[in-house]
Structure formats: C-alpha cells, structure tokens
Amino acid sequence: MGKFYSQEWIDEVRMNNDIVDVVSEYLTLTPSGRGFVALCPFHNEKTPSFSVSPEKQIFHCFGCGVGGNVISFIMKMENMDFLEAVELLAEKAGIAIPQTEQDKDYAKKREKTKAIYQVNREAALYYYNNLLTKEGERFLDYIANRGIAINTVKSFGLGCALNRWDGLKNFLLKKGYPIELLCDAGLVVKSSKGKDFYDRFRNRIIFPIINTRNQVVAFGGRSIGDTLPKYINSPETVVYSKGYHLYGLNRFRGRAHISDLIVVEGYMDVLALYQGGFKNVVASLGTALTKHQARLIKRYAKQAFIAYDGDAAGKSATIRGLELLEKEGCKPKVVSLPEDTDPDDIIRQYGPQGFQNLLNEALSLTDFKLSIAKSGVDMDTQEGKAAYAIKASEILAGLDNAIERDIYIKKVSKETGISYHAILSEIQQKKGSSTGKIIKRNTNGNNRHNKILTRKNEEIADVTKAERTVLCLLCQNQDLIEKTVNSLEWKDFSHPLNRQLAKLIYKRIEAEQSIQPADVISGLAEQDNAALIADILEPPVDMTKRTIILEECIRVIKMHNIKRKKEKLQEELEKIVQQGLEDHDRFRELTLEIDKLNKQLKLSGGEQDLKGGIR
Ligand SMILES: [Zn+2]
C-alpha cells in the first residue's frame, strides 16, 4: 500500500474528528468516570467493557483487548483499510482530500474501482432476474432438485446466465456502461481476433461473490449440463484477487464474533449446509487457505471447522492453510469426510444429522496430522509402530504448548507401546535440529534445562512489563520525561514492539512533538499494532507513586540489559577458553569487563538508589 497523504494532513483529519462523536454514531455511550463506556461491538458481552477516553482520544475494550484511536476504530467498525478510514473521516469533517500528482493516479484507480463495483451489482441483478424468466426456469428447477429452497437462492443472490453470447453485454451497453469497463470487470471477453466482445458466463448458474462491505467483487458460474469446465470464475480484476475472499462471508457483516465457522470448498457446499440449517458456513473456493483468508476467518470466528472433500483434506497445501489459521490464533478442527465426498453429498445422503455427527467427531489439527501419519503405516507390526512414532515425533516437535505436547506424547506412547521418554527425546532431537542446535542431555539434564528456560521466560516477562510501564508513565506525565530520557535510551528497550514505540516516543520528544497516547498511535507506521499500543499506553498505574514506580522499572530494565551483556561476554570468553586461550589479551579484557558488570549487578540488585551505580 503506497502512502498518499502527508502525516500532517492525516493528523488534521484525526484532530477534527472527536472520538466520542464518531463512536457515538455507532454505539450508545454512557458517561462513566472521566470517559464513556458502551457494549463492545467487537465481542459478545452483557456488561460494558468498551471505554472511550475523550481526554486521550482513544478507545479500549478490557474484554477483548481491541483499542486504538479514531482511525483504528473506523477501520475495525467499517472493515476498511487505513486510507479508506482516513478518507471517510475527512468527508465527515468536511476536509478536502488533497489532489497532488501522485494522488491523481490513485483517484483514477478509485474511480475505476467504484465503477466496477457498480457494474458488478447491475450484472448480479441481471443474472438474478434471468432466473424469473421463462428461459430461466430450467435453472431454477435444477437448483430446486438439489434441495435448495427459493429463500436460500435469494439470500445468496443466485442467478443464471442464459444460453446466449451477448445477453449481459447488450443489457449493460444499453444502460450506458462502456465496453472497456465490462472487460475490466471480467464480465465480457474480447474475441481472439480482437474485434468482437462476448459474455464470459453463458448457460450457467451464477454465484456472486460479495465482500464484507456488501460489494459484488466477482462471479462463479456452474454449468448444469455436460458442458466443461463445470465451474468458471471471474478473472483477477482491480477489485478481485484470488485468495482474498470467502464466499458467503458477507452475511456476517456487522455481527459480533461468532463462535464457530464451517469452511468448505465450493459454492454448492455452502448452499447445501445453509439449507440444512448450518448457517455459519463459507467457502474458501480452493483448498489451500491463504493468509488473507485465515485473517478473515479469525476476524469473524473463534474456531473454524474445515470440511473439505475427503481426498483434498490430506494434501499438504490444505494442511499448510490450516497451520496458517492456527498461527492467526483461530483453532482449526478438521471434519473427516469419506474420499470423493463433499458436504453437499453428505447432506443429500444422510441429512443434516449426518453432517452434525461428522462435526462432533472433528479432529484437532494435531490429531488430524497424526491420523494421516498413521494411515500410511501398518500398525500391527513393530516396524510400523516405530515408523509412526518417528513421524509423530516430528509432528509433536512443532507444538509450542508443553501441556498439549505432554498429552500427545502419552497418547502416542500408548498407541505404540514405545516409552514416553523415548518419544520425548526423539522430539527434542527434532526440535534441536530444526533450530540448528542439537540438545544432547539425559532426562535429568532436561529438567535442569527446562528450569533455566522457565526462569528466563519469567525474567523476560518482568522486563517487558517494566518497559511498558515506563512508556505508559512517560506518555502521561510531562514531569517524568527528563528522568526517563536521562536514564534510558530507546535502545535499552528489548521487546521489539516496546522498542519500536520507545524509538517513536523519543523521536517525538526530541522534535518537541506531543507524546499524548492518541498522537503517538497515529504516528505509527504499522496500524495493525494500534490496539496493542493503546493497551501498552493505558494500563492502570498508581500515579501518586509514579516516581518510585518509574525508578523501579528503570532498575529492572537496566539489570536485564547488564545481564544480557554479561551473557554475551561470557559466551565469547568460553570460546576463547575452548580455543586454548590463544587470544590472551582479549581474555584479560573480557574478565575485567565481566567483573565490572558483576559489580554493577550487585549494586543495582542490592540497593534501590541508582545514583553512581550504573552510568
Ligand atoms: Zn471487546
């Protein structure tokens, strides 16, 4: 996404849109304390945990953790990208959108985008109306024979392209749309000789693909006879890229989080399940879920049931898609369908209850991977069991959660008769080799190793918290700026996000710009982090003790940095020792340096007063 507007202009837009005014257009705000509260539109709740601060010009939900400034609010609420949200706010505030040279291209592109959405909508209506004509009857019959009721047809805006070459073309030309636009929208195709134009979709049932802003982005067409291919789709256009949309997702627009979403492969699967009473269903239109689709799913649902054709589900592309989904924080469950069977078949053969039974038996991603590993070996032989255990170890090595891993190790151990420890050590080898290090330790060693790791993780959590508290205090108390800046550099912050934020805040301090939370958030390049940043800048801190808290946090951060520095030096020292002390000068230097750090650690750990201690 190129940047088209200056930061000054964006700031002007933001400052002319009071967050309370904007939010209250969407939600009912109730005064509370120094701000307002409301029921959160982004998660389901009965008591309000969504708060708006007029002072800081930010919003934050204590229930689901979303937060940000007025621009982030519009982005979330309207499902818009950053520029779209800024433009909407500019219009609201009556601020003219700048027209520089660079903007002209962008404006042109936006005009075209708008025109394509419009012509697509006309086309969808045309296809729908076709269904109601005499010629359209056989399509309607076909749909009815598949068990799809007329209400479902209407809900999804189905239609049909009649058996002719210029039906849609003539309809749209007569309405005054230029032929180039019809081509750009992918509705009409230029003949190979380049003189003639004809309809892309002919003699097919038409499925409009609608985005979450209720715009028609593309079409799918299914033949009802023997015509091949069975399905054709719109080509990629200015408004449509493959892998960016989910068929049927538009029906969830403006809904709070739904608990689970069924993801299927094709249009007919969506219709069949919907008809069978499974309303929370979308199609990925392909088996390999993309990152964009995974994000869309995550945005709307906590859990996703993947119900793909039996033979497609096991393919590695499918599994990669599921892993993406898990990475996005949405737990996938895999519905096992028999080979060459899709959800549509299940509903037709066994009815809704048949599909419900499959949903109930859906497997977690790990269980699913294990079942694939098992299907390739003969579990009746010792060799088969061993081969399975090795494959399973590889799968389990990918699990980050220790508790989850423990459960699965026990399970695999039980299935194969191979001991828990043998599987664990196999997993650790796999883990080690995948990160480039091989951990060779006996089980006692492992325990010790794990304890050290746990302690380290706890320390990192403490430091991260201390860093966040410092940033939070800094942005809300002018009187602490000097002390903070004199004690810490932005480079002293170790958590990546904290460091990014610290760098930004320090830069703003240097440029004598405001470091109020809302101003800081709008200065971020990565708007995705806005919620997290708002979170960081607004934890409850006891302001009456702010100086003491600040000092303690600075101490924790400094200690951590000294320790890290010491670890690095010690590593270097060990290397020199291993090489037989060849570099004797460096060895001496290092021991002196480490000694110095040890003294500093003792000082800052032992007494609270830092003066004369570290710097
Ligand atoms: Zn919420």
Side-chain angles (χ1 to χ4, degrees):
M1 186 178 73
K3 209 166 190 182
F4 298 95
Y5 302 127
S6 69
Q7 188 61 46
E8 288 75 32
W9 184 76
I10 292 171
D11 283 343
E12 191 194 334
V13 171
R14 189 170 48 78
M15 284 182 304
N16 279 290
N17 279 282
D18 187 86
I19 193 158
V20 177
D21 292 343
V22 172
V23 172
S24 60
E25 281 177 34
Y26 297 88
L27 312 172
T28 312
L29 291 176
T30 318
S32 163
R34 290 158 84 176
F36 298 87
V37 293
L39 288 174
C40 177
F42 307 118
H43 83 280
N44 260 322
E45 63 175 6
K46 295 211 172 70
T47 50
S49 41
F50 182 91
S51 75
V52 179
S53 161
E55 213 174 305
K56 296 181 202 143
Q57 287 291 310
I58 59 180
F59 72 97
H60 183 250
C61 173
F62 294 97
C64 64
V66 302
N69 62 15
V70 68
I71 300 172
S72 358
F73 177 78
I74 291 294
M75 284 168 72
K76 274 201 87 69
M77 204 65 206
E78 295 282 351
N79 262 325
M80 287 181 163
D81 67 29
F82 181 74
L83 289 181
E84 289 170 329
V86 175
E87 283 171 6
L88 185 143
L89 288 170
E91 272 169 36
K92 261 191 211 293
I95 297 171
I97 294 171
Q99 296 280 342
T100 62
E101 265 318 298
Q102 201 184 15
D103 290 333
K104 270 183 200 149
D105 277 351
Y106 182 62
K108 234 197 222 155
K109 200 179 148 201
R110 285 191 65 87
E111 276 311 304
K112 190 165 165 193
T113 307
K114 242 169 141 179
I116 290 182
Y117 282 136
Q118 200 183 343
V119 77
N120 277 350
R121 179 157 293 273
E122 292 274 14
L125 274 170
Y126 167 83
Y127 290 134
Y128 173 74
N129 284 324
N130 276 348
L131 273 185
L132 312 175
T133 64
K134 188 90 189 96
E135 269 181 277
E137 232 168 53
R138 61 196 174 93
F139 292 95
L140 215 45
D141 286 347
Y142 178 89
I143 294 170
N145 278 336
R146 299 284 298 244
I148 310 297
I150 189 72
N151 276 339
T152 306
V153 171
K154 282 185 188 160
S155 292
F156 287 85
L158 300 195
C160 67
L162 302 176
N163 196 11
R164 56 180 73 156
W165 292 86
D166 53 10
L168 179 68
K169 185 183 86 176
N170 289 342
F171 172 79
L172 291 173
L173 287 180
K174 231 165 102 189
K175 288 219 154 202
Y177 292 101
I179 191 77
E180 297 78 35
L181 180 64
L182 309 191
C183 285
D184 289 343
L187 296 167
V188 159
V189 185
K190 210 175 194 174
S191 73
S192 53
K193 282 177 198 144
K195 277 190 226 148
D196 258 353
F197 296 91
Y198 57 89
D199 288 2
R200 176 180 300 274
F201 299 100
R202 300 175 307 279
N203 202 21
R204 284 170 187 272
I205 296 175
I206 300 290
F207 306 87
I209 303 172
I210 303 169
N211 67 15
T212 48
R213 288 159 63 195
N214 262 336
Q215 292 159 321
V216 182
V217 294
F219 296 92
R222 184 193 202 281
S223 74
I224 62 169
D226 299 327
T227 320
L228 288 174
K230 205 157 138 193
Y231 283 99
I232 56 174
N233 286 304
S234 295
E236 303 236 328
T237 66
V238 177
V239 302
Y240 177 67
S241 304
K242 244 186 122 199
Y244 274 74
H245 299 94
L246 291 161
Y247 177 66
L249 192 67
N250 58 302
R251 292 172 301 114
F252 303 100
R253 182 179 195 254
R255 295 247 312 257
H257 257 67
I258 42 182
S259 57
D260 37 52
L261 195 62
I262 302 169
V263 182
V264 295
E265 248 179 283
Y267 307 103
M268 287 310 285
D269 297 325
V270 170
L271 297 185
L273 286 181
Y274 183 89
Q275 191 64 52
F278 302 94
K279 306 276 189 213
N280 292 351
V281 58
V282 297
S284 55
L285 305 177
T287 52
L289 274 182
T290 65
K291 198 169 77 188
H292 306 282
Q293 289 175 323
R295 289 207 175 137
L296 277 177
I297 292 170
K298 168 70 177 50
R299 198 186 290 169
Y300 287 88
K302 285 200 190 90
Q303 184 174 250
F305 286 89
I306 309 296
Y308 286 161
D309 214 329
D311 47 347
K315 291 199 180 121
S316 55
T318 311
I319 291 176
R320 267 202 302 282
L322 300 183
E323 284 169 343
L324 274 177
L325 198 53
E326 194 159 67
K327 236 177 163 175
E328 288 294 326
C330 183
K331 287 261 167 212
K333 286 226 158 188
V334 187
V335 179
S336 301
L337 299 179
E339 245 172 69
D340 279 329
T341 311
D342 56 30
D344 185 20
D345 299 326
I346 299 286
I347 294 277
R348 277 193 288 165
Q349 285 172 37
Y350 307 102
Q353 189 54 47
F355 189 75
Q356 184 60 52
N357 292 343
L358 291 175
L359 278 184
N360 297 345
E361 289 161 14
L363 300 175
S364 75
L365 183 53
T366 305
D367 274 319
F368 179 64
K369 286 181 185 169
L370 289 175
S371 78
I372 292 174
K374 210 190 298 176
S375 69
V377 300
D378 180 2
M379 288 292 280
D380 288 334
T381 65
Q382 212 45 49
E383 291 78 25
K385 283 180 183 169
Y388 167 62
I390 289 171
K391 278 193 201 172
S393 304
E394 205 160 309
I395 294 165
L396 301 186
L399 289 177
D400 290 330
N401 185 319
I403 296 167
E404 215 179 325
R405 200 185 315 133
D406 182 73
I407 293 169
Y408 281 113
I409 294 174
K410 282 181 185 143
K411 194 176 157 186
V412 174
S413 166
K414 210 171 150 195
E415 284 172 322
T416 57
I418 294 168
S419 82
Y420 181 96
H421 289 306
I423 298 169
L424 180 67
S425 97
E426 183 69 22
I427 290 173
Q428 252 139 9
Q429 279 221 11
K430 294 252 153 66
K431 269 182 105 72
S433 60
S434 69
T435 56
K437 279 184 277 173
I438 294 173
I439 304 165
K440 284 183 199 149
R441 283 175 202 271
N442 57 26
T443 27
N444 288 335
N446 275 327
N447 275 338
R448 196 172 65 90
H449 184 69
N450 285 343
K451 257 185 210 151
I452 293 170
L453 277 181
T454 319
R455 215 184 308 139
K456 225 173 175 164
N457 285 340
E458 276 166 11
E459 191 195 313
I460 287 168
D462 280 347
V463 173
T464 304
K465 216 173 127 197
E467 289 176 354
R468 294 192 169 174
T469 308
V470 170
L471 293 173
C472 172
L473 285 169
L474 185 59
C475 287
Q476 294 180 35
N477 299 280
Q478 288 281 330
D479 56 327
L480 297 181
I481 291 177
E482 206 187 322
K483 188 175 184 67
T484 311
V485 173
N486 285 340
S487 315
L488 294 172
E489 291 177 57
W490 64 263
K491 283 180 189 149
D492 291 330
F493 290 76
S494 40
H495 185 280
L497 189 62
N498 294 347
R499 180 188 282 227
Q500 183 198 351
L501 189 56
K503 187 177 173 187
L504 180 73
I505 292 172
Y506 274 55
K507 256 171 129 179
R508 291 185 77 99
I509 291 173
E510 212 174 317
E512 293 185 357
Q513 287 169 319
S514 147
I515 53 168
Q516 290 290 315
D519 295 315
V520 172
I521 289 167
S522 78
L524 284 166
E526 186 85 38
Q527 280 298 323
D528 281 352
N529 283 335
L532 204 49
I533 303 281
D535 232 6
I536 294 172
L537 297 182
E538 203 191 20
V541 180
D542 183 353
M543 290 298 175
T544 56
K545 296 194 184 120
R546 60 179 182 269
T547 316
I548 300 170
I549 295 174
L550 179 72
E551 278 173 0
E552 173 59 15
C553 288
I554 291 176
R555 189 183 67 82
V556 169
I557 295 169
K558 290 203 156 181
M559 284 251 294
H560 175 72
N561 284 334
I562 295 170
K563 275 188 202 162
R564 269 203 325 187
K565 202 167 157 195
K566 191 179 131 189
E567 275 169 16
K568 264 198 194 143
L569 295 180
Q570 270 171 334
E571 259 173 46
E572 200 187 334
L573 192 75
E574 266 171 45
K575 238 191 232 154
I576 292 180
V577 172
Q578 274 168 11
Q579 286 161 356
L581 284 179
E582 266 172 42
D583 192 348
H584 201 266
D585 288 346
R586 182 69 186 144
F587 178 78
R588 245 188 83 74
E589 239 173 68
L590 284 171
T591 40
L592 284 177
E593 192 69 23
I594 291 171
D595 252 12
K596 225 165 91 191
L597 293 177
N598 276 337
K599 265 182 208 145
Q600 287 180 4
L601 275 177
K602 220 169 147 190
L603 266 174
S604 56
E607 44 187 295
Q608 297 289 322
D609 193 348
L610 292 173
K611 272 165 229 151
I614 294 167
R615 263 164 211 268

